[in-house]
Amino acid sequence: MTEREIMCKKLSSYQFAVDDMQLYLDTHPYDADTVDKMNDLKAKLESVRVEFEKKYGPLTADANSKNRWSWVKAPWPWETEDD
Amino acid sequence: MFVYEKKLQYPVNIKTPNLKLAKIIASQYGGPDGELGASLRYLSQRFTMPLPELKATLTDIGTEELGHLEMIGAILYQLTKGVDRKEIEAAGFESYFVDHTTGVYPASAAGVPFTAAYIQSKGDPITDLHENLAAEQKARTTYDNILRFADDPDVKDAIRFLRQREVVHYQRFGENLRILTDKLDEKNFYAFNPSFDKKCFKNQMKKK
């Protein structure tokens, strides 16, 4: 695994935890403990995301409007190191 | 409104192409119980779904299914990358290759193109939620069947993740059904369509 892949996996892990809790909260919106836990994870996710985007380019098209090339260039999510 | 994120929900990193596996996994892209049908089903049903919890669940699961569609597309792309004529013939991949080369196309493992007939949006939340519960189990069984043939750990890892999500979604749709029936007249849930005959909700009956 490359350093980028390791960091992407870390990002995806936090993102997954947040998404799964959000799905749970759709049917349990008054579960305050889970809301707290999710907000805590969201903060961690945000810091990893900022670090990732600084190192490897934007994750969304508007994240870095000054540098369109860093959005356009590889790797795209389905590509691997040998593409 | 949708915003695209330039990453997969769960990493897909397959080092060894395998056309036989690609042929069967393709069914989860555009087959009868695949991710394209799943996302279209939920994102279409939500417009007439009553109750905020149900709208939220359909929106969030429908969106996640689009992420799963992308994961399956990545699996297919990586499983078919750099193959030669001999490998195509050995795997019996010619029938797909002649129409799509190695392009990712929504069809079942047997080659039937994707059709909206795979899904339903009935405009009745009890009916739609039962459809969704069944759909999650059908997708789960398909992933179980794929795992019977997959021996590459890189493929199995991603497929197991997707399989597990079907189980979680089934749980959430079960909760949706309970949230809905809790708010209906318990004497006969099926006498009304809660999307169309709004008076069947308990609070609205009291108002009368």
Side-chain angles (χ1 to χ4, degrees):
Chain A
M1 260 177 138
T2 63
E3 246 178 71
R4 187 186 180 282
E5 282 168 354
I6 291 164
M7 199 170 175
C8 191
K9 186 146 192 178
K10 191 176 168 191
L11 183 72
S12 297
S13 303
Y14 280 124
Q15 182 76 64
F16 174 71
V18 169
D19 289 348
D20 196 43
M21 280 181 193
Q22 190 179 322
L23 216 53
Y24 167 83
L25 287 168
D26 284 347
T27 51
H28 306 77
Y30 305 113
D31 184 339
D33 287 348
T34 305
V35 173
D36 288 346
K37 217 180 273 177
M38 188 182 71
N39 287 335
D40 182 49
L41 282 162
K42 259 189 180 167
K44 284 182 178 135
L45 167 67
E46 247 346 272
S47 72
V48 180
R49 177 194 294 276
V50 167
E51 205 187 326
F52 184 92
E53 290 192 317
K54 213 159 87 188
K55 264 190 169 161
Y56 302 111
L59 286 162
T60 51
D62 61 353
N64 188 359
S65 54
K66 276 183 208 149
N67 186 356
R68 289 301 297 169
W69 178 243
S70 63
W71 164 254
V72 170
K73 75 172 181 184
W76 283 87
W78 50 90
E79 292 172 338
T80 51
E81 290 304 303
D82 55 343
D83 264 283
Chain B
M1 174 55 185
F2 286 89
V3 177
Y4 182 71
E5 266 195 29
K6 200 178 171 183
K7 66 176 184 59
L8 299 178
Q9 192 194 9
Y10 186 88
V12 173
N13 206 337
I14 298 163
K15 289 148 209 115
T16 323
N18 184 331
L19 292 173
K20 279 197 166 170
L21 265 183
K23 272 169 72 180
I24 60 167
I25 293 173
S27 235
Q28 279 307 86
Y29 197 79
D33 305 308
E35 302 292 355
L36 179 59
S39 50
L40 280 180
R41 178 185 296 112
Y42 307 145
L43 293 175
S44 300
Q45 286 177 358
R46 71 199 166 119
F47 294 103
T48 49
M49 198 53 81
L51 306 178
E53 294 94 330
L54 278 50
K55 292 173 210 200
T57 302
L58 283 171
T59 300
D60 288 343
I61 296 183
T63 304
E64 185 178 340
E65 304 291 10
L66 287 172
H68 294 174
L69 182 71
E70 186 185 31
M71 277 181 69
I72 294 288
I75 291 172
L76 297 176
Y77 171 68
Q78 293 176 17
L79 282 176
T80 55
K81 205 164 56 177
V83 292
D84 61 26
R85 193 185 132 182
K86 264 192 184 155
E87 291 168 300
I88 289 167
E89 283 173 350
F93 195 71
E94 308 98 311
S95 51
Y96 186 95
F97 188 88
V98 71
D99 287 330
H100 313 293
T101 326
T102 57
V104 176
Y105 177 77
S108 76
V112 181
F114 178 78
T115 162
Y118 291 151
I119 70 161
Q120 182 55 285
S121 178
K122 201 71 180 173
D124 180 324
I126 291 184
T127 310
D128 282 345
L129 287 171
H130 277 101
E131 151 118 358
N132 302 351
L133 287 161
E136 294 296 335
Q137 289 302 335
K138 288 189 275 184
R140 199 260 310 151
T141 303
T142 310
Y143 284 125
D144 279 334
N145 290 343
I146 288 169
L147 286 168
R148 292 173 198 273
F149 294 99
D151 39 20
D152 181 344
D154 296 332
V155 177
K156 277 163 91 168
D157 187 44
I159 296 294
R160 280 197 184 118
F161 172 85
L162 292 167
R163 178 196 179 275
Q164 186 53 37
R165 296 311 291 158
E166 311 299 342
V167 178
V168 172
H169 294 171
Y170 180 80
Q171 170 75 17
R172 298 282 96 87
F173 283 130
E175 290 159 0
N176 276 7
L177 190 59
R178 179 181 47 76
I179 289 168
L180 176 67
T181 50
D182 278 354
K183 290 189 165 67
L184 296 177
D185 177 1
E186 63 272 18
K187 280 182 199 150
N188 187 353
F189 294 145
Y190 309 106
F192 301 95
N193 174 347
S195 280
F196 199 72
D197 312 303
K198 308 271 176 171
K199 63 175 193 278
C200 59
F201 283 98
K202 274 177 188 166
N203 54 350
Q204 264 144 331
M205 293 188 70
K206 262 181 235 154
K207 268 189 239 156
K208 276 208 298 179

